[in-house]
Amino acid sequence: TASLEALIPAAEQAGVRLALENMLPAHVGNPSADVRAFVDHVDWPALGICFDTCHAHVADASGFAEGTAAAFATLRDRIIAFHLADNSGAKDHHLQPPYGSIDWDAVAPAIQEAGYTFPATVEAPPWNGSTPGQLLRELQALFAGQWTTFELAGRPVHARCRHCGHHLYGP
């Protein structure tokens, strides 16, 4: 709190907001309920949370992962910034969404429904050597629910190009 006590007056004078980020397991700021409790306790109007999708998905040493959808639900009304990335759940890979194992079918609609109007930071390079423009088009399709999907063995599967590995999406 000492750092925030020093930063808050400067932030107020500059007219900026400060965001604390949910962190990886075994770090201060994990689980998300701890970040939420701290921000609620400080109770400063310009202090919020930077929600990192990748961090919420990484499992701790015991194999437990809070989960991106659960962490988002905990933090939803205090989020003022996003770090969007994906991973396998084993470590903070910083893959382009949705090229890891985060359940974007649950997370993307929840983020859309919340109606955030601020920009998000994508903390990942474009997938498979692609371009930033392709990354943007794929993220727009992801958040618009336009991924080409089908059901296989009772589970939704996203179609991917067998040549380049990119997910296929509709117009």
Side-chain angles (χ1 to χ4, degrees), residues 99 147-150 156-162 165-169:
Y99 291 96
W147 289 107
T148 302
T149 61
F150 58 94
V157 177
H158 300 288
R160 292 177 71 167
C161 174
R162 65 183 174 164
H166 284 273
H167 286 271
L168 304 178
Y169 56 91

Side-chain angles (χ1 to χ4, degrees), residues 33-116:
D34 289 356
V35 177
R36 172 63 188 247
F38 183 80
V39 170
D40 288 346
H41 173 76
V42 171
D43 194 30
W44 179 56
L47 178 64
I49 294 170
C50 175
F51 182 61
D52 189 306
T53 57
C54 219
H55 290 174
H57 188 60
V58 174
D60 65 17
S62 73
F64 171 77
E66 179 176 16
T68 306
F72 176 77
T74 298
L75 304 174
R76 179 182 174 137
D77 64 318
R78 298 302 297 239
I79 295 171
I80 63 169
F82 281 98
H83 286 170
L84 300 175
D86 208 335
N87 62 45
S88 68
K91 69 178 198 171
D92 196 16
H93 298 295
H94 286 264
L95 301 174
Q96 175 190 326
Y99 291 96
S101 61
I102 289 176
D103 182 3
W104 290 99
D105 289 336
V107 175
I111 291 172
Q112 283 290 92
E113 290 167 11
Y116 300 108

